[in-house]
Amino acid sequence: MICLGIESTAHTFGIGIVEDGEILANEKDMFVPEKGGINPLDAKNHHEKVKQKVLEDALAKARITKKDIDLVAYAAGPGLPPCLKVGALFAKELGKNKKVIEVNHAVAHIEIGRHVCGILDPIVVYVSGGNTQIIGYAAGRYRVFGETQDIPIGNAIDVFIRETYGKDKKAETFGGPILERLATGKYLELPYVVKGMDLSFTGITTAAINKFRKGEKIEDLCFSFQETCFAMLTEVTERALAHTGKKDVLLVGGVAASKAFRQMIEVMCDERGAKAFTVPPELAGDQGAMIAWNGVLAHINGQKGTRKADFNPLWRVDQVDVKWM
Ligand code: AMP
Ligand code: MG
């Protein structure tokens, strides 16, 4: 069974090809704005421009042709509506005479993580440019134990870097790796906002940008920014472990690439006899292989196909029946 998966929910257009459980190809092209956040229409235009090339690269890498594809899966939400539409229509086009399956982007992040890390029932820390949620499986669905009340952690990092260090430079990459590289200074106090199990990142982002404008050193701010945000996330993750009695933590999403964050989570897990896993970097951020793999799981477990090219920008992870657990 060969499944082609399409990812287009936000900044990345990706195509993954999976045969049963094996990833044959995982090609992508990422849209990086020059300043501020992502303008959905710019991202959509980017996806339109690159989709054919990404498809051709993926087919070549997998050494297959369109005819060999049995199943087409696409990320139908959550995400930016114009971007979602590009993927949905492309799936419809590629899936003529084939079964087309809708996949939830957040669930796909979890499933590829469980698959490659070989774990059954973790607390998932989903930290990316578009999402921040602490998730665990209970009674048929992935439940959200805690989440951001405003912007996602990855977005906070990217805005902070773009408005400070990156201000006069053309951004060639996300803020995350730059933040990590510059985080060599001393600790300055920044707002630490955890409300019950939920988190907020706008206050800290504004405060850090203001401190930069007042002349504080970027190395100190980067160190303090990451220490504070990651400590907030680690606190909520620990409470989710305590509450559920689960023994594994799985980090997914692009921010899981942060060594500092992984270390903080690992120390917390060690202290309570739990184990931390991180999805390998090439599968941690947005890409099509996770959509393809989730498509296979859904298909095997009886999910019906669709011809509608529907999408739902607000489709939450806890609205999906997880039949394959
Ligand atoms: P995603 O939305 O899952 O594709 O992940 C992209 C996000 O991950 C962006 O906001 C990046 O800034 C962030 N990111 C990537 N690498 C790192 C890193 N080393 N440390 C922190 N954040 C990172
Ligand atoms: Mg994502």
Side-chain angles (χ1 to χ4, degrees), residues 16-60:
I17 300 174
V18 165
E19 181 164 23
D20 304 319
E22 193 197 339
I23 298 168
L24 302 182
N26 199 15
E27 298 297 308
K28 62 180 180 182
D29 193 309
M30 197 177 80
F31 169 70
V32 182
E34 280 178 30
K35 60 190 215 342
I38 295 175
N39 176 339
L41 290 177
D42 291 344
K44 171 208 163 236
N45 291 339
H46 163 268
H47 295 354
E48 288 288 5
K49 205 170 91 195
V50 303
K51 66 181 185 188
Q52 202 59 40
K53 168 93 169 67
V54 174
L55 171 68
E56 280 159 22
D57 288 351
L59 291 171

Side-chain angles (χ1 to χ4, degrees), residues 10-12 28 30 105 109 126-131 153-158 173-180 226 230 252-259 261 284-287:
H11 45 66
T12 297
K28 62 180 180 182
M30 197 177 80
H105 173 93
H109 269 297
Y126 175 25
V127 279
S128 73
N131 300 81
I153 173 68
N155 188 231
I157 292 170
D158 294 341
T173 170
F174 281 134
I178 300 171
L179 179 88
E180 188 154 38
Q226 76 171 28
F230 296 161
V252 307
V255 182
S258 164
K259 235 184 250 152
F261 186 39
D286 291 354
Q287 28 73 33

Side-chain angles (χ1 to χ4, degrees), residues 7 54 58 72 101 107 148 171 199-200 202-203 246 250 266 318:
E7 161 61 33
V54 174
V72 174
I101 282 210
V107 173
T148 180
L199 308 130
S200 158
T202 48
K246 295 191 199 285
L250 175 64
E266 275 160 20
D318 49 12

Side-chain angles (χ1 to χ4, degrees), residues 298-310:
H299 167 71
I300 295 171
N301 286 275
Q303 184 172 320
K304 289 210 180 79
T306 174
R307 292 268 152 245
K308 289 197 206 137
D310 275 348

Side-chain angles (χ1 to χ4, degrees), residues 33-35 162 164-172 178:
E34 280 178 30
K35 60 190 215 342
R162 251 181 251 131
T164 56
Y165 176 80
K167 193 99 185 124
D168 307 315
K169 306 179 179 68
K170 182 172 169 4
E172 272 145 27
I178 300 171

